[in-house]
Amino acid sequence: MKQWSTDGLTRRCSLAAALALLVIAITAGRPSAGCAEPAIASAGSFSGTKLQRVGDYIRNEIANGKIPGAVILIQQHGQTVYFETFGVRDIESKHPMTADSIFRLYSMSKPITSIAAMMLVDDGKLRLDDPVSKYIPAFTGVKVGVEKRDENGKPVLALEPVKRPMTIEDLLRHTSGLTYGFYGDSAVRRLYAKADLFDGEVDNAEFVERIAKLPLAEQPGTRWNYGHSTDVLGRVIEVVSGLSLFQFEKQRLLDPLGMSDTVFYVADSTKRPRIAEPMPDDRFVTPMAGIRDPMLPRTWESGGAGMVGTIGDYARFAQMLLNGGALDGRRYLEPETIALMTSDHIGPETGITRDQFYFPGDTSGFGLGFAVRTVKPANTSWPLGEYRWDGVAGTFFFIDPQDDMFAICMMQSPSQRGRIQLELKTLIYEAIGK
């Protein structure tokens, strides 16, 4: 396996210049694209020496042929603490990884859609206890699939009425009963997998009509179940706003924040070289959650998995969240709304259960669009209240209000993402003595 590294770049930047470029770029919403040298600054309790271990770790992953490249940003107190690009976007083209590289965000789309929905809540146009059927009538008669056995002992799927309607809050916290069809093995998940939900030029309206014909995996409000909840939430946003999901997000969130590269597909063919790719043997065999080539135009705007974007765009979004819903003098959400979203909504007192596919993990609850740290992991002093999410292709972020910082890693490595995410977080917190 050929070892790729940043050594192939011809342009070098001094440490001071790198910091200046990145601070200016993130403020403007467009990161500098040509600097490979690490930008490390003293901020808060971070150790510059220990931060260098972050880069050493990623360079070793690249040298061992695990990933093509990555971009990492850590920001504290509104200042860049660490920034570095590594390796290449694509081992076939050998284009170097740069700060304006475009990544498939997959489920890192979910926090963006969740924030957009809560903007409508702040506007008074949407309520968390509203039934989803108020906006999407097809869900009025939805049933719950329950696996039973017939008189001969054979497994059958019985359909039962819902005990209470699915609500907007259920969509935000993944307790709607909606699931995905590409993981796990249950009768309902198998129906999802066979339902051809993504066939043809489906838009959000058609998609929710199709999914509403399938049974729910469990009663609404009873179990955290990762699935198409945020996609359905995207359609609710369309119905309430009278705009397409992207139009609403663009007008109210993306454009004002300067997130110009965060879209549902890359329409400009000249930007194709900026799209980061995984290793040739680390690609999805079939489209994940119905999302195919990010260059291909499509009418379906998947609020749960469809967006692509850059690290600079997501940094603007993360800083707005860390600031309590405001950035550069503009308010997007009330501080109380951000606090509500980033508190645990599925704790023991709710009676909501978790199965073996509870992706936030044992030390976290779930808020309205984010996993939320509720217990310190063993042998760590990681802070409570940290909130986060990631994407199946390898991108991840976490926001730590206690230390007034956030970190974002952008890479495309489906098979390596969990291991690398845990190790990077460990190294980052070791750099601040936790």
Side-chain angles (χ1 to χ4, degrees), residues 242-285:
L243 302 169
S244 74
L245 177 59
F246 183 59
Q247 286 172 338
F248 179 80
E249 291 178 336
K250 185 175 172 61
Q251 289 182 18
R252 293 288 303 273
L253 190 64
L254 303 177
D255 281 357
L257 280 173
M259 298 172 67
S260 59
D261 284 319
T262 303
V263 294
F264 284 100
Y265 66 90
V266 182
D268 184 352
S269 62
T270 65
K271 293 184 178 182
R272 188 174 194 104
R274 290 170 52 193
I275 298 175
E277 299 290 349
M279 302 294 285
D281 60 352
D282 195 15
R283 300 175 187 271
F284 296 123
V285 176

Side-chain angles (χ1 to χ4, degrees), residues 26-331:
I26 289 179
T27 301
R30 293 182 175 281
S32 168
C35 184
E37 292 291 334
I40 302 175
S42 176
S45 56
F46 275 97
S47 162
T49 301
K50 289 185 177 180
L51 275 176
Q52 290 177 357
R53 296 165 56 196
V54 172
D56 292 342
Y57 173 76
I58 292 295
R59 278 185 287 273
N60 185 64
E61 292 295 304
I62 294 170
N64 289 328
K66 298 294 186 181
I67 60 174
V71 189
I72 297 176
L73 170 67
I74 305 170
Q75 198 155 300
Q76 186 179 44
H77 308 319
Q79 302 296 318
T80 299
V81 175
Y82 181 91
F83 171 74
E84 190 168 3
T85 60
F86 305 88
V88 295
R89 296 170 180 156
D90 182 356
I91 65 169
E92 294 178 359
S93 71
K94 301 185 175 117
H95 288 132
M97 187 67 77
T98 56
D100 67 346
S101 296
I102 297 171
F103 297 83
R104 299 162 180 85
L105 298 178
Y106 283 106
S107 287
M108 271 174 56
S109 308
K110 288 180 171 71
I112 295 174
T113 305
S114 299
I115 290 294
M118 293 304 289
M119 293 175 83
L120 290 171
V121 172
D122 272 5
D123 290 345
K125 297 179 180 178
L126 189 63
R127 290 174 54 95
L128 293 178
D129 58 0
D130 280 343
V132 175
S133 58
K134 176 179 177 181
Y135 307 100
I136 305 173
F139 280 104
T140 300
V142 70
K143 303 292 185 182
V144 179
V146 180
E147 295 184 53
K148 297 183 177 181
R149 294 189 177 274
D150 63 15
E151 62 275 9
N152 298 316
K154 290 185 177 181
V156 295
L157 185 67
L159 298 181
E160 299 182 352
V162 295
K163 295 178 180 178
R164 70 151 175 82
M166 177 197 308
T167 66
I168 301 303
E169 182 181 27
D170 287 324
L171 296 179
L172 283 156
R173 67 183 183 181
H174 292 286
T175 57
S176 65
L178 297 165
T179 189
Y180 278 135
F182 59 81
Y183 74 90
D185 184 26
S186 68
V188 171
R189 286 190 173 107
R190 288 193 292 272
L191 286 178
Y192 271 68
K194 297 175 182 177
D196 299 325
L197 291 171
F198 317 110
D199 280 6
E201 282 299 310
V202 60
D203 59 9
N204 284 352
E206 174 60 25
F207 177 79
V208 297
E209 291 292 325
R210 292 179 182 184
I211 205 167
K213 294 176 182 176
L214 297 172
L216 302 178
E218 53 268 322
Q219 290 286 343
T222 63
R223 175 172 287 190
W224 191 93
N225 193 328
Y226 200 52
H228 286 292
S229 290
T230 317
D231 291 321
V232 174
L233 184 65
R235 176 55 185 164
V236 171
I237 291 170
E238 292 184 336
V239 173
V240 175
S241 69
L243 302 169
S244 74
L245 177 59
F246 183 59
Q247 286 172 338
F248 179 80
E249 291 178 336
K250 185 175 172 61
Q251 289 182 18
R252 293 288 303 273
L253 190 64
L254 303 177
D255 281 357
L257 280 173
M259 298 172 67
S260 59
D261 284 319
T262 303
V263 294
F264 284 100
Y265 66 90
V266 182
D268 184 352
S269 62
T270 65
K271 293 184 178 182
R272 188 174 194 104
R274 290 170 52 193
I275 298 175
E277 299 290 349
M279 302 294 285
D281 60 352
D282 195 15
R283 300 175 187 271
F284 296 123
V285 176
T286 57
M288 184 62 66
I291 308 301
R292 298 173 175 83
D293 188 331
M295 283 291 295
L296 294 177
R298 57 177 177 269
T299 55
W300 185 39
E301 295 173 354
S302 168
M307 304 196 95
V308 300
T310 62
I311 196 167
D313 277 12
Y314 221 90
R316 299 277 295 170
F317 179 68
Q319 188 65 60
M320 179 271 291
L321 296 177
L322 183 57
N323 290 351
L327 187 66
D328 296 339
R330 178 167 182 152
R331 179 153 297 283

